[in-house]
Amino acid sequence: EAGVTQFPSHSVIEKGQTVTLRCDPISGHDNLYWYRRVMGKEIKFLLHFVKESKQDESGMPNNRFLAERTGGTYSTLKVQPAELEDSGVYFCASSQAWTRSVTGELFFGEGSRLTVL
Amino acid sequence: AQSVTQLGSHVSVSEGALVLLRCNYSSSVPPYLFWYVQYPNQGLQLLLKYTSAATLVKGINGFEAEFKKSETSFHLTKPSAHMSDAAEYFCAVTYTGKLIFGQGTTLQVKP
């Protein structure tokens, strides 16, 4: 069974450009999470989807970030326009049910490293 | 509000020595606590978890952690380090499904 996959693994863009990160969760997992780790800081929650609905987007930094999960399968996270402080590693995670998220049964992808120059 | 503090961003031990990675948490309600590990070029992997059952929790690869409510701690230990344990370790807390992570501790294992 395939795990959580993220694409691209690394993206280098200029300030002001747009980048779209993609996450494919484990098949059948309704819950999908985005987290971000800025260099030297802790991993922070961005948002949580249940199927195609945003359950919690309290961690989204600002309106330059747009997350979607059309059809409740894969998710994209778009940053437009990118700023220097957006550099970091963006992690996606999925779980089968919310109760399993609470007990830590989250499966993480390898992360997408974003570098904004 | 919940928070997690990991003491020491880098820990270095010799192969065969005791591993001790420290984690203290703050939570207004009984928490669920976790240790995750990230090996180079891999995603985060659940190492072990405390969910209000036994206070001494055993995880994969010989790691264990003890929940001490009086000390608000959840330190991770392994009796004998192996070279393959070199990785970054994250302590995390939740009761909502939204994980709150510590800053991470990089474990270096010297031959």
Side-chain angles (χ1 to χ4, degrees):
Chain A
E1 180 182 331
V4 177
T5 56
Q6 293 187 244
F7 181 84
S9 57
H10 192 186
S11 180
V12 181
I13 62 172
E14 299 280 336
K15 175 183 172 181
Q17 291 185 319
T18 297
V19 63
T20 299
L21 310 177
R22 172 171 169 147
C23 169
D24 285 75
I26 293 173
S27 178
H29 280 196
D30 288 340
N31 290 266
L32 187 148
Y33 300 80
W34 283 98
Y35 287 84
R36 176 175 76 167
R37 189 183 193 193
V38 172
M39 180 78 74
K41 300 288 184 68
E42 65 271 27
I43 301 169
K44 286 194 172 180
F45 167 84
L46 294 179
L47 86 159
H48 169 207
F49 283 101
V50 178
K51 298 185 179 179
E52 67 273 13
S53 299
K54 292 176 185 174
Q55 185 74 16
D56 181 352
E57 51 184 332
S58 60
M60 295 288 265
N62 50 61
N63 59 11
R64 296 186 293 102
F65 289 76
L66 175 64
E68 295 180 320
R69 193 182 181 195
T70 307
T73 55
Y74 71 90
S75 174
T76 57
L77 180 64
K78 180 190 287 188
V79 185
Q80 179 181 30
E83 298 289 343
L84 298 179
E85 63 265 25
D86 300 332
S87 296
V89 181
Y90 291 77
F91 293 100
C92 177
S94 71
S95 71
Q96 194 169 34
W98 175 82
T99 50
R100 295 201 175 195
S101 303
V102 173
T103 55
E105 292 179 57
L106 277 176
F107 296 86
F108 280 83
E110 294 180 15
S112 291
R113 180 175 296 276
L114 173 64
T115 302
V116 183
L117 303 176
Chain B
Q2 296 177 313
S3 66
V4 175
T5 302
Q6 290 183 239
L7 293 176
S9 58
H10 287 84
V11 171
S12 182
V13 300
S14 297
E15 191 173 19
L18 170 72
V19 176
L20 171 60
L21 304 182
R22 299 177 187 273
C23 172
N24 288 87
Y25 71 92
S26 171
S27 178
S28 57
V29 297
Y32 292 128
L33 291 157
F34 313 93
W35 277 97
Y36 282 86
V37 60
Q38 185 179 23
Y39 298 104
N41 301 315
Q42 295 186 26
L44 289 161
Q45 178 182 357
L46 182 64
L47 200 56
L48 50 78
K49 61 183 179 183
Y50 167 76
T51 56
S52 75
T55 56
L56 182 61
V57 181
K58 294 187 183 299
I60 60 173
N61 301 334
F63 284 93
E64 62 182 36
E66 186 172 8
F67 172 68
K68 291 187 176 180
K69 184 177 179 180
S70 61
E71 298 177 8
T72 60
S73 69
F74 191 56
H75 302 330
L76 181 70
T77 61
K78 182 175 180 178
S80 177
H82 191 272
M83 296 297 291
S84 60
D85 295 326
E88 191 164 17
Y89 293 79
F90 298 91
C91 184
V93 64
T94 189
Y95 66 92
T96 65
K98 180 194 309 183
L99 288 169
I100 309 297
F101 285 92
Q103 299 91 327
T105 299
T106 298
L107 176 65
Q108 179 188 25
V109 182
K110 298 177 292 185

